[in-house]
Amino acid sequence: MLDQGDLPEFEQLLRREPLMNLFVASRVAHLGLAPERLGCAVYGYHVGGELVAACHVGANLVPIGDDRDAIDAFAQAIGPRRQIWSIMGCAQAVLQLHQGLVERWGDGWRRARDVRPHQPLMVIDTDPEITGNPAVQRIGLVDYEPYLDAAIAMYTEEVGVTPLDGTGSYQRYVRMLIQMGHAMGAVHRGTGRASRVWFKSDIGSAWSGYCQVQGVWISPELRGRRLSIPAMAQVVRLCRQRYPVVSLYVNDYNTRARRLYQGLGFRTVGELATVLY
């Protein structure tokens, strides 16, 4: 298990594939590597004294590096008790880790709700040539409630279950995104009715000049009108005010979204995978 003293070597490992490792890099940058602060363990795998792979073992299980022996060792160390929401990260490592857990520990790991094996990782490091929609701006706390409504709708549609539970953790997460300036959206302020967010997106992870956009959503009645194109162009511009390199990932079967991102100038640089429980 890695600790704060391992941070310099761990950061070197992250920098080999910063876009692949952005989720863990972002968490460690804010909380450190000590398990008591991070809230979970990070296992390390050394070869000849060099850290060649690691695995974030929290609510999200995230392998780092694709050393096959390391992935097998992580599967053995994680054990039979599944207390996670997902396995996510580099496609090759995720699928190997999932297979190893199933083969070693059986049904607890086999019963995934969904396996998404091909999620192209896309990146852009210039502003889009397409003009952005100025209605899309950073969301302030004054619009917390309508943004939360949109975020719940997005999550439920994408994942298939509600993000809400008795702890209020999702509400706190959305509030934190807004406070960090990582929530972006377009708000309709109609006369005589409550405000609503008709387009939303947010920065899920950020580290060292890189960020990852997630949670892209447009209200269902507005789909098919090509409103997402200028809205996403504006999102990229807003992100690049702080983070020069903007990334995202998308399911391979979502051809409409992939065409949209390609039209904005995103290019594919790798492939992620997600196993949802």
Side-chain angles (χ1 to χ4, degrees), residues 150-270:
I152 293 169
M154 175 280 303
Y155 188 102
T156 304
E157 182 178 338
E158 172 66 19
V159 181
V161 296
T162 177
L164 301 179
D165 57 26
T167 69
S169 61
Y170 191 74
Q171 293 92 321
R172 290 192 297 273
Y173 172 70
V174 171
R175 183 177 291 272
M176 179 191 70
L177 288 175
I178 293 173
Q179 291 172 330
M180 293 175 66
H182 283 186
M184 294 158 285
V187 184
H188 176 72
R189 306 185 191 281
T191 303
R193 56 176 294 183
S195 299
R196 67 183 181 92
V197 171
W198 60 265
F199 172 86
K200 72 162 289 291
S201 181
D202 45 69
I203 296 173
S205 304
W207 178 63
S208 188
Y210 303 93
C211 75
Q212 187 174 93
V213 172
Q214 64 179 26
V216 179
W217 177 88
I218 189 168
S219 190
E221 74 274 9
L222 298 177
R223 294 173 190 175
R225 303 185 188 182
R226 299 180 65 82
L227 297 174
S228 295
I229 299 171
M232 273 305 300
Q234 183 75 350
V235 166
V236 172
R237 286 183 170 86
L238 291 172
C239 289
R240 295 193 69 248
Q241 291 173 2
R242 300 182 181 181
Y243 308 105
V245 181
V246 181
S247 69
L248 52 79
Y249 63 95
V250 60
N251 294 315
D252 63 331
Y253 52 79
N254 193 344
T255 54
R256 177 178 293 181
R258 292 176 66 182
R259 285 197 300 267
L260 185 156
Y261 299 138
Q262 289 166 355
L264 291 173
F266 281 85
R267 61 189 186 277
T268 300
V269 296

Side-chain angles (χ1 to χ4, degrees), residues 86-202:
S86 73
I87 309 173
M88 52 186 277
C90 171
Q92 179 179 331
V94 164
L95 298 177
Q96 183 189 341
L97 180 58
H98 180 234
Q99 181 181 358
L101 289 165
V102 169
E103 290 176 351
R104 282 171 175 79
W105 308 115
D107 285 350
W109 290 99
R110 182 177 290 110
R111 297 192 183 115
R113 187 161 45 83
D114 194 10
V115 178
R116 301 175 180 181
H118 304 293
Q119 297 176 307
L121 175 63
M122 308 181 77
V123 65
I124 187 170
D125 53 14
T126 60
D127 283 353
E129 295 183 1
I130 294 170
T131 302
N133 184 343
V136 177
Q137 294 294 330
R138 299 188 194 280
I139 295 292
L141 285 175
V142 66
D143 291 313
Y144 165 75
E145 291 291 346
Y147 193 83
L148 175 63
D149 291 342
I152 293 169
M154 175 280 303
Y155 188 102
T156 304
E157 182 178 338
E158 172 66 19
V159 181
V161 296
T162 177
L164 301 179
D165 57 26
T167 69
S169 61
Y170 191 74
Q171 293 92 321
R172 290 192 297 273
Y173 172 70
V174 171
R175 183 177 291 272
M176 179 191 70
L177 288 175
I178 293 173
Q179 291 172 330
M180 293 175 66
H182 283 186
M184 294 158 285
V187 184
H188 176 72
R189 306 185 191 281
T191 303
R193 56 176 294 183
S195 299
R196 67 183 181 92
V197 171
W198 60 265
F199 172 86
K200 72 162 289 291
S201 181
D202 45 69

Side-chain angles (χ1 to χ4, degrees), residues 5-82:
D6 300 301
L7 185 57
E9 188 178 23
F10 184 63
E11 287 184 339
Q12 288 183 2
L13 177 63
L14 294 173
R15 290 187 186 280
R16 294 179 187 176
E17 294 284 353
L19 293 172
M20 286 281 188
N21 301 325
L22 203 50
F23 171 79
V24 175
S26 178
R27 293 203 74 226
V28 170
H30 283 91
L31 299 170
L33 195 51
E36 62 270 18
R37 291 199 59 198
L38 188 61
C40 68
V42 176
Y43 296 158
Y45 188 87
H46 292 79
V47 174
E50 178 186 1
L51 182 67
V52 299
C55 190
H56 173 279
V57 187
N60 298 294
L61 194 58
V62 188
I64 299 163
D66 57 2
D67 185 286
R68 296 191 65 85
D69 292 338
I71 301 299
D72 290 341
F74 295 146
Q76 180 65 33
I78 290 165
R81 297 185 62 189
R82 181 182 60 77

